Amino acid sequence: MPRWTSTLGGEKISTFQKIGIIGLGYVGLPTAIAFYKQGFNVVGIDISKDVIENLEQGKSPLIDNSENLVIPRNSDTWKVSDNFEMVSDCDVILITVPTPVNSDKTPDLTYVVSATRSVMENIETGRNVILVLESTVYPGVTREVLGKVRSEIGLIEGRDVTLAYCPERVNPGTEMGVGNVARVIGCDDEKLGNELAEMYSLTTSEQSKYVGKMEVAEASKLIENLQRDIDIALANELAIVLPRIGVDVEQVLDAAETKWNFHRHSPGIGVGGHCIPVDPYFYISIADSVGHESMLSKSAREVNEMMPKLASIQIAEIVEGESGEKRVLVLGYSYKPELGDIRETPVHDLVIGLLEGGFEVLIWDPLVDSDDLPKEAIIVDNPYDCGELGAVVLATAHEEVINLEWGRLGKIIDDPIIYDGRRVMDRGHLESEGWKYFGIGLPKEECV
Ligand code: SAJ
């Protein structure tokens, strides 16, 4: 391959020049733009004509555009298309398509297989194109699943294509984007693995490291998310147990955090998104396949998945002990703050729990499209115009939720009660505005 210097100056070089990115979502699009900005010749492919049309008009098709992406115009070094033939002469092709789970929680690899097949059917043989999977999968997928497609199409590893794995680690809705997260690269060919690490290093301020064979990088990503799910589950279990001995979980976490290696996580009404609640099931299926049931990850999932229902029961008990008004305003519906993404949102189960408890549920989320909100609930455009309420529930800690005019809202409700499902509100301030404050992990006797 021609050795080539990035046009943005500096001594950095890359073995590769033309990069294809398959899947222009919240990972693929920022990644494509990052390589484009470093002077690479980029071809972005997406099967959605809407996505391509938006991009050709210079518009971001992403729900969350917190990275304020500036979409390049079509040029010699930036093209987007739904035609896989466009990647036929790429040096490196990155696959950044979703890996959801099936209803039985087994990994759904249909997008990965479809994208791989479409790429492999269009690459020129003999150019040893590097095909890098970035989607979150379990160890073995790149080698076995992508390798199977390669064999079916008749391509030869090392002559026509070389497989590699580099997990995406962006954290949507936060400042952790492609430009400032570390990367790990797994590839059987160490030389190519190091050249990929060099290529990725041009796009991030953090380290970019070759870590060994593909399974090493696949397992790294998986256990990163598995650990996060387990850590959050501990915080959630503490939010169940500690209040029952009269102790506020947040005070205990404040105290524990003074220890140098205590890693704090926040209890809440549940764990959502397309990674943390999903990836542990990839690990569970591996553990089962090798004959060792993973009690730890299964228990963590059980704890996190019970939180929405548990919160709905707590809210019902609070309301029945106070005004008895069975109307609740739920603030926030997306799975995490500053995003309009509702995938696996725990607020869905919270709403269902309240409805099953006989409540009328109103929802206000300024970031979520009203079409994405549950039809069983009453969608609210103005949180100050909801009529009488038995409680207001903070479910997703959007800035717009936290910064509501709580004094004004409290005056509209006869007996203003808040249930802080993320423990993010200033209790003293709310109580000074006439609110009764309840929250996840707070002993009820401390609330009156
Ligand atoms: N959550 C808690 N308590 C916490 C942290 C999170 O209840 O202490 C909840 C959030 O409310 C949300 C869910 O967990 O419902 C997931 O939150 P998250 O901050 O982990 O956000 P994600 O799902 O966007 O995770 C992203 C992922 N990055 C991607 O590749 C998409 C994930 O792989 C990262 O591990 C994670 O960021 C991270 O480390 O921040």
Side-chain angles (χ1 to χ4, degrees):
M1 306 276 183
R3 295 193 74 73
W4 173 82
T5 305
S6 76
T7 57
L8 294 188
E11 294 307 307
K12 295 177 182 175
I13 60 171
S14 169
T15 310
F16 314 113
Q17 181 172 2
K18 186 166 184 180
I19 299 180
I21 289 98
I22 314 299
L24 300 175
Y26 76 88
V27 174
L29 183 57
T31 301
I33 293 173
F35 279 110
Y36 166 77
K37 284 180 177 172
Q38 283 301 325
F40 285 90
N41 183 341
V42 171
V43 175
I45 302 290
D46 200 290
I47 57 174
S48 161
K49 292 193 184 310
D50 280 351
V51 166
I52 299 302
E53 272 171 30
N54 270 295
L55 291 172
E56 284 174 339
Q57 292 162 18
K59 290 189 295 188
S60 168
L62 301 183
I63 304 169
D64 151 50
N65 197 19
S66 54
E67 285 192 58
N68 297 316
L69 296 173
V70 176
I71 309 301
R73 291 292 181 182
N74 266 0
S75 67
D76 292 344
T77 57
W78 173 267
K79 286 191 179 47
V80 292
S81 173
D82 60 354
N83 179 356
F84 281 83
E85 290 172 8
M86 297 285 285
V87 296
S88 62
D89 61 344
C90 284
D91 304 318
V92 180
I93 299 171
L94 313 181
I95 295 184
T96 57
V97 298
T99 47
V101 281
N102 297 312
S103 52
D104 65 355
K105 302 294 186 189
T106 55
D108 174 0
L109 299 174
T110 45
Y111 296 104
V112 168
V113 172
S114 169
T116 301
R117 186 176 304 284
S118 299
V119 164
M120 290 187 173
E121 285 169 346
N122 285 285
I123 54 179
E124 291 168 16
T125 56
R127 296 183 70 249
N128 194 24
V129 177
I130 319 296
L131 184 54
V132 186
L133 179 61
E134 290 203 4
S135 311
T136 304
V137 294
Y138 53 87
V141 166
T142 308
R143 184 183 308 281
E144 289 148 26
V145 176
L146 277 67
K148 182 167 178 281
V149 175
R150 181 199 55 223
S151 306
E152 287 166 356
I153 293 178
L155 299 179
I156 306 295
E157 179 77 6
R159 185 198 71 182
D160 304 325
V161 65
T162 290
L163 297 176
Y165 185 76
C166 177
E168 50 86 7
R169 281 173 165 169
V170 298
N171 185 1
T174 72
E175 71 289 341
M176 301 309 288
V178 288
N180 56 3
V181 291
R183 307 302 301 256
V184 290
I185 291 93
C187 182
D188 291 355
D189 181 319
E190 184 172 357
K191 178 176 178 295
L192 282 178
N194 279 304
E195 287 173 347
L196 281 172
E198 180 187 76
M199 177 191 84
Y200 275 105
S201 71
L202 292 168
T203 62
T204 178
S205 57
E206 298 301 308
Q207 68 167 343
S208 173
K209 185 180 177 194
Y210 172 66
V211 294
K213 64 181 182 179
M214 295 179 280
E215 286 78 1
V216 173
E218 289 169 328
S220 168
K221 173 68 179 181
L222 193 56
I223 64 116
E224 289 160 22
N225 287 352
L226 177 66
Q227 180 196 52
R228 190 162 173 78
D229 195 48
I230 293 168
D231 286 344
I232 297 168
L234 173 61
N236 282 333
E237 183 175 284
L238 295 174
I240 297 169
V241 172
L242 294 179
R244 294 181 187 177
I245 60 167
V247 174
D248 176 2
V249 70
E250 289 294 328
Q251 283 186 300
V252 174
L253 293 173
D254 284 344
E257 198 174 22
T258 59
K259 182 168 181 280
W260 75 96
N261 60 357
F262 180 81
H263 301 290
R264 183 174 192 160
H265 288 75
S266 311
I269 54 101
V271 175
H274 37 285
C275 291
I276 309 305
V278 168
D279 297 352
Y281 287 105
F282 291 1
Y283 173 74
I284 289 167
S285 64
I286 293 170
D288 289 344
S289 73
V290 297
H292 177 80
E293 181 186 2
S294 172
M295 294 161 279
L296 196 56
S297 47
K298 285 184 177 178
S299 306
R301 278 286 78 225
E302 203 175 322
V303 168
N304 288 336
E305 288 172 5
M306 78 167 61
M307 295 312 286
K309 178 71 176 174
L310 184 139
S312 68
I313 292 167
Q314 284 184 351
I315 293 161
E317 287 170 355
I318 290 163
V319 170
E320 277 145 22
E322 299 288 332
S323 66
E325 176 69 52
K326 297 195 78 167
R327 288 182 90 242
V328 166
L329 170 61
V330 173
L331 299 175
Y333 188 76
S334 59
Y335 83 85
K336 78 185 226 185
E338 313 322 318
L339 277 186
D341 193 335
I342 64 164
R343 283 177 286 186
E344 306 291 320
T345 182
V347 188
H348 173 269
D349 290 352
L350 171 67
V351 168
I352 298 301
L354 289 168
L355 290 168
E356 286 170 350
F359 281 78
E360 187 175 61
V361 179
L362 297 82
I363 300 177
W364 180 70
D365 188 322
L367 279 73
V368 174
D369 188 310
S370 55
D371 292 341
D372 288 337
L373 294 171
K375 302 293 173 272
E376 306 90 339
I378 297 169
I379 312 306
V380 165
D381 294 324
N382 175 2
Y384 304 104
D385 180 18
C386 293
E388 198 40 54
L389 294 168
V392 172
V393 176
L394 187 148
T396 308
H398 295 313
E399 281 300 311
E400 279 193 72
V401 167
I402 293 171
N403 296 329
L404 280 171
E405 296 170 64
W406 290 91
R408 177 184 166 197
L409 188 58
K411 287 187 177 60
I412 298 167
I413 303 168
D414 287 347
D415 181 10
I417 288 171
I418 177 172
Y419 180 87
D420 186 351
R422 295 292 178 185
R423 296 299 301 277
V424 291
M425 295 304 294
D426 177 339
R427 176 180 179 183
H429 172 68
L430 282 170
E431 288 173 339
S432 70
E433 298 274 11
W435 287 82
K436 282 184 188 163
Y437 178 95
F438 297 83
I440 194 119
L442 182 65
K444 234 172 30 179
E445 59 271 20
E446 282 197 23
C447 300
V448 291

